[in-house]
Amino acid sequence: MSAGNFATAPTQNKNISQTGQAFNVITVGAAQRHENGKYSYYAQSSIKNPRLPMTKESESSKYYDKPEIVNMANVFFNKGDTYTYNYGKTDSYAPTFGHTSAATPYTVGMIADLLHQKPFYKWHPEVVKALLLTSSVMPLEMNTNQQNDINGNTNKLICRGMPSYKAMVYGNRSRYWIGNKDDHFTTATIYYGGSYVSKNAIVFDEPNITAGKTYRIAIAWLVDGNYVEENGAFPQDIDLMVSQVGTSTEKYSTSATNPFEMVEFKAENSNNLTIKIVRYHNNGNNRVMLGYNLYEVP
């Protein structure tokens, strides 16, 4: 689903102005390539994050983070012909494809290739979202349009890069947890928020770590849309914490306005990474549909 484009002037009324808002759908923003070979956020693909439904008229609705990724958009077909048609007036179109209308199917093509090459992901959309987040390593220059798109986004790693297909298929470790509300998470005493507390968590180690390497770790989970519609909030708030044996460094992502979290962690030694997936709350009788991916940056 695309992120949407500006449609504020009469000449722009054919643009996609309805933004992608579905919680379980990956929304794609658009980037454009410049003559210097660098990419930045597309000038006409800039939206503010959408709001959750309001449960009461007196309540102020919260923003949630969209889009989750940004991808290439200005596609030129060098063997295509200029298209001219006459419908009241004559218009000509060069063989180009741009904006979120191009970035979205381009991303779909990448995922189709991924599913063909790695059939595991066919059955785990929750892991695919985590994989897309960790593989967004192609540099993207900041500009005012991108700043607008990430307004209120508490996870500052999101939409700072574009997915690399190489990063999607190499150097990854994926996991998933699917079950009922009380499955998988166990009560654990962990250091959380400045003190030791008892929380529902999934805790495990990642071995075979290389000192000096950077690791991108993400989790993503599917959301009960009916619950959000009725309550104006996400039913589950899950946080991600990463540390390394033998060091005091800890990276964490604890946002509450999206069904995903991501951190970058630079290994100080070759000891295991300790991954803590902490469920801050779980309202209603919601199933666990949680995906995880770790990517080792070359």
Side-chain angles (χ1 to χ4, degrees), residues 20 44 136 139 153 156 158-159 188 196 218 245 273 281:
Q44 289 180 292
S136 293
N153 191 338
K156 300 304 181 183
I158 304 301
C159 296
Y196 284 96
V245 176
L273 297 183
H281 69 71

Side-chain angles (χ1 to χ4, degrees), residues 9 27 41 94 118 120 150 180 218 237 274 276 293:
T27 302
Y41 217 74
K118 306 277 187 178
F120 161 81
I150 62 173
N180 294 317
D237 183 7
T274 299
K276 300 174 185 176
N293 195 74

Side-chain angles (χ1 to χ4, degrees), residues 168-184:
M168 291 171 66
V169 297
Y170 297 110
N172 293 287
R173 310 177 195 179
S174 299
R175 300 186 184 212
Y176 66 94
W177 298 268
I178 297 178
N180 294 317
K181 176 179 179 178
D182 296 324
D183 294 341
H184 306 300

Side-chain angles (χ1 to χ4, degrees), residues 58-73:
S58 60
E59 291 182 354
S60 60
S61 179
K62 296 180 180 179
Y63 288 104
Y64 61 102
D65 299 325
K66 286 285 187 178
E68 292 89 348
I69 67 167
V70 182
N71 218 334
M72 300 181 191

Side-chain angles (χ1 to χ4, degrees), residues 45-112:
S45 175
S46 180
I47 62 166
K48 290 186 177 181
N49 293 320
R51 288 180 179 270
L52 291 168
M54 288 186 292
T55 56
K56 298 178 182 178
E57 290 185 4
S58 60
E59 291 182 354
S60 60
S61 179
K62 296 180 180 179
Y63 288 104
Y64 61 102
D65 299 325
K66 286 285 187 178
E68 292 89 348
I69 67 167
V70 182
N71 218 334
M72 300 181 191
N74 56 333
V75 181
F76 175 73
F77 301 95
N78 61 354
K79 294 184 179 180
D81 296 326
T82 299
Y83 175 70
T84 303
Y85 77 96
N86 193 313
Y87 186 77
K89 65 175 183 177
T90 300
D91 282 317
S92 297
Y93 294 91
T96 60
F97 193 25
H99 303 220
T100 55
S101 300
T104 302
Y106 182 80
T107 304
V108 170
M110 293 177 70
I111 296 174

